[in-house]
Structure formats: C-alpha cells, structure tokens
C-alpha cells in the first residue's frame, strides 16, 4: 500500500479553516439504500446501533470497516455517508456506529455517550467480528470518534482487540480540555454554542423519554461546552468534574501504547481542534501523523483534478482503510509528515 498522501490544496474559495469546516456540510454524497440495522447490547443494559451497508460482491473474509461519528453526529452525518459509499465501492462491508442515543439508537440508552466511552466501540467491534469472523477490520473515527478510536487502540495493548488490523483518526481532540477551552474564544464560540444547543436539546429529550431525574441537572441552560460537560456529562457518567472527565478520557496519554498501524489526519487551521496538541504526543512508530496546512475540521475540500470529487479527506480514508495488505507496520521515524 502507498504510504504517501498527495498534497492537499484547498479549493480557491475555501482558504480558511472556518470556510472548509462549513463547506464540507454541503457535500452530502449520493443517497444510499436503507442500511441493515444491528442492535448491540451493552453490559449496563443500554444499546448502540450499527448501520450496515455491504458491498455488492463482498465475500466472507473480505475487509470490513467500522466508522465512528463525532460530537452531535450520527450515521447520517455527511462525512459518514460519503465515506461509507466510497468504501462499499471498493468492496468493503461498512458498519456505521451510532453512539448512545444518537441516530438510529435514539431511545435505546439511559446514559449519554462521551469521548472516553471506549467500551461501546469495543462492543461494536466484537459484534462485527461475530458477523464477519474471518474479515480484517479497519477502525475509522471522526473528531470525538477519533479520540475514542485512539484511546481504545491504546487500551488494547493491555486488553487485546480482536479483528482490527488498521485505524484512521480524523481531527481527533486528543486533549479534551485544551480543545474545549479553545472553543470559548473568538469565532470558535459559534461552534461551541452550536454543540451546546444540540447536546442540550438531546439530553432534555432523552430525560423526558426516560423519566430519569438526571434531567433536572439541565434546568439551567449551559453557557458553553465546558459548562455542559461539567453540569451534565461528567456527573451523569460518574466523573467528579469536567476536568476529571477530560483527564480520564483524552487519548493523548494512550497513543504511545498503540500497536496497530494507524494514521492520524489533522489540519493546522482546524477551528475546533488546535494543532499544537499533536506536538506534545509521544508517537509510536506504527502511528503516522499527517498534518495539512489547510483543511479545517473534517473539511479538506480540495481542487478539482486530484480525486474523483473534491473530497480529499474521503479518498485518503478509503486508500488507507479500504486497501489490501499493509506493506510493513512502521512509518517515518518521527511518525509525522506534512502534506
């Protein structure tokens, strides 16, 4: 497999990180056939849902992939739809995970999902192994889902993870506190308020449905994502505070333990995940950090002529997650490259 990425050159009218981030929402991808649903029971009685789309000529032993969405996303998020469609075109059997209470899993969970809840992703992988027992699995996480993927892979050095032979993490917020604090400055406040609005509505909807007293925690409107995590995510999930939640759930401290060939894609102009957090990580040789100058957060909308469409990020994921055998497990000595 080719380990080098073609340089990312942003579309001429999308030079800023904010423009890239927002423009990517317009690239919905083609409409897909209704997926097959798989309900995955969790040890605490909650459940998550896998939405499966199988390539037409897929056979037992062919590759499978698990896609994990980001904060306030679901299996229908534009990047999830686009990449699922492209991977199935490469003959991959694709499973899109809806984290607790999201998408097709709404109403199936009492507890909320969060950035450190790796047991749920592990349960999804186990379900895929049961459905595709002879298949190698590529694990792909986007934003918060990328943090989950990297943390899980680090934990797998102690608690092995069956089936997964490679992984990709796109724009992962590996230092949750730094990322959360940075959202409360400048134009990033727009993303902060957007996330808070979506998460607050979702948590109140779930509380009304379940009748749990936890809904009382959100009688006041959180002013920021940090405030939401401090008054809701942390206490409901068993953490002492938002700081405690961030400290225990950030992937940065787990990355050095990863032993599965992994690519991390990040952009220096990401308005949600500050690029400097990646400089502090002890990258193992099996993990490659690819940084672009432009791209925003889950954007990477490029110029014509490089790929079949402008979605540069999608094709890099497909090349890595949907390819055949990996030629060796080591990348550059420094574990990073700039494209």
């Amino acid at each position: 497999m080719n380990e080098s990425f073609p340089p990312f050159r942003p579309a001429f009218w999308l030079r800023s990180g904010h423009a890239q981030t927002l423009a990517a929402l317009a690239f919905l991808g083609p409409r897909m056939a209704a997926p097959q649903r798989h309900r995955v029971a969790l040890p605490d009685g909650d459940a998550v849902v896998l939405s499966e789309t199988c390539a037409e000529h897929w056979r037992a032993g062919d590759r499978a992939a698990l896609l994990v969405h980001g904060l306030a996303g679901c299996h229908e998020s534009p990047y999830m739809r686009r990449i699922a469609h492209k991977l199935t075109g490469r003959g991959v059997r694709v499973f899109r995970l809806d984290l607790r209470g999201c998408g097709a899993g709404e109403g199936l969970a009492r507890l909320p999902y969060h950035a450190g809840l790796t047991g749920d992703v592990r349960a999804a992988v186990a379900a895929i192994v049961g459905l595709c027992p002879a298949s190698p699995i590529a694990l792909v996480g986007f934003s918060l889902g990328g943090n989950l993927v990297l943390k899980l892979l680090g934990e797998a050095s102690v608690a092995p993870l069956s089936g997964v032979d490679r992984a990709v993490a796109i724009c992962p917020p590996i230092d949750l506190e730094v990322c959360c604090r940075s959202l409360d400055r400048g134009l990033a406040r727009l993303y902060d308020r957007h996330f808070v609005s979506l998460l607050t509505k979702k948590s109140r909807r779930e509380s009304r449905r379940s009748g749990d007293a936890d809904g009382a925690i959100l009688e006041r409107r959180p002013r920021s994502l940090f405030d939401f995590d401090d008054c809701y995510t942390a206490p409901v999930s068993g953490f002492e505070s938002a700081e405690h939640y961030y400290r225990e759930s950030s992937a940065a401290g787990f990355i050095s333990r990863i032993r599965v060939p992994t690519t991390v894609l990040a952009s220096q102009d990401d308005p949600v995940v500050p690029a400097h957090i990646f400089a502090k990580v002890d990258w193992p040789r099996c993990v490659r950090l690819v940084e672009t100058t432009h791209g925003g957060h889950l954007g990477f909308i490029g110029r014509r002529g490089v790929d079949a469409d402008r979605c540069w990020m999608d094709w890099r994921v497909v090349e890595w997650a949907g390819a055949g055998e990996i030629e060796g497990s080591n990348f550059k000595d420094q574990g990073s490259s700039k494209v």
Side-chain angles (χ1 to χ4, degrees), residues 71-91:
L71 186 65
C74 71
H75 74 282
E76 283 288 347
S77 295
Y79 52 88
M80 297 279 278
R81 287 176 52 183
R82 295 194 316 260
I83 293 176
H85 181 265
K86 290 179 170 73
L87 283 171
T88 55
R90 289 286 184 95

Side-chain angles (χ1 to χ4, degrees), residues 9-322:
R9 296 185 175 89
F12 292 108
W13 62 93
L14 298 175
R15 301 288 296 183
S16 77
H18 293 291
Q20 283 282 330
T21 301
L22 296 174
L25 299 177
F27 286 75
L28 300 178
R31 185 178 298 276
M32 300 177 67
Q36 182 177 355
R37 309 285 193 202
H38 303 278
R39 180 170 172 169
V40 180
L42 302 171
D44 61 7
D46 282 357
V48 293
V49 174
L50 291 168
S51 293
E52 175 193 341
T53 305
C54 191
E56 183 179 357
H57 300 296
W58 189 90
R59 297 291 181 268
D62 290 348
R63 176 162 296 283
L66 172 61
L67 311 186
V68 186
H69 64 79
L71 186 65
C74 71
H75 74 282
E76 283 288 347
S77 295
Y79 52 88
M80 297 279 278
R81 287 176 52 183
R82 295 194 316 260
I83 293 176
H85 181 265
K86 290 179 170 73
L87 283 171
T88 55
R90 289 286 184 95
V92 179
R93 187 173 178 180
V94 180
F95 298 84
R96 289 172 284 164
L97 173 62
D98 276 318
L99 296 170
R100 295 189 188 218
C102 298
E106 187 164 347
L108 299 181
R110 180 180 56 86
L111 296 175
Y113 71 94
H114 63 72
L117 208 54
T118 51
D120 293 6
V121 183
R122 181 181 287 273
V125 170
I128 295 171
V129 170
L131 293 165
C132 317
S135 295
I137 300 169
L139 192 51
V140 184
F142 303 90
S143 193
L144 178 143
N147 185 81
L148 279 164
V149 164
L150 295 174
K151 182 173 180 283
L152 175 60
L153 293 175
E155 293 169 345
S157 64
V158 176
L161 187 66
S162 299
V164 175
D165 73 335
R166 68 188 66 178
V168 186
I170 313 295
C171 302
I174 59 174
D175 187 325
L176 294 166
E177 182 162 4
V178 169
C179 292
C180 192
R181 297 289 193 186
S182 73
L183 286 175
D184 202 26
R185 294 193 291 269
L187 287 177
R189 288 193 181 98
L190 297 176
Y191 304 103
D192 191 53
R193 303 306 183 263
H194 176 67
F195 286 138
V196 169
S197 176
L198 292 177
L199 293 171
T200 299
K201 290 176 182 176
K202 179 177 180 298
S203 62
R204 285 176 171 158
R205 189 166 61 246
E206 291 172 348
S207 294
R208 286 195 298 269
R209 180 185 297 111
S210 66
D212 285 351
D214 291 334
I217 297 175
L218 282 176
E219 287 182 350
R220 65 180 178 87
R221 181 178 179 83
R223 296 165 298 174
S224 65
L225 185 56
F226 179 90
D227 196 23
F228 178 88
D229 285 337
D230 199 46
C231 72
Y232 183 73
T233 308
V236 172
S237 303
F239 297 101
E240 298 171 1
S241 62
E243 290 93 341
H244 183 217
Y245 159 48
Y246 297 149
R247 187 168 59 251
E248 294 296 316
S249 302
S250 293
F254 295 83
I255 290 174
S256 64
R257 310 178 202 170
I258 295 176
R259 297 296 178 263
V260 172
T262 301
T263 292
V264 176
L265 176 61
S267 171
Q268 293 177 354
D269 67 356
D270 188 329
V272 176
V273 177
H276 66 82
I277 64 175
F278 299 104
K280 304 175 183 179
V281 175
D282 180 15
W283 299 97
R285 286 177 60 87
C286 66
V287 180
R288 167 180 57 175
L289 171 63
V290 178
E291 292 183 284
T292 62
T293 302
H294 303 284
H297 189 71
L298 303 181
F300 303 95
I301 305 301
R303 302 177 188 178
R304 292 188 185 276
V306 177
D307 300 301
D309 58 24
R310 294 182 181 273
C311 299
W312 184 90
M313 174 186 79
D314 299 12
W315 294 106
R316 306 297 76 81
V317 173
V318 169
E319 289 170 0
W320 179 242

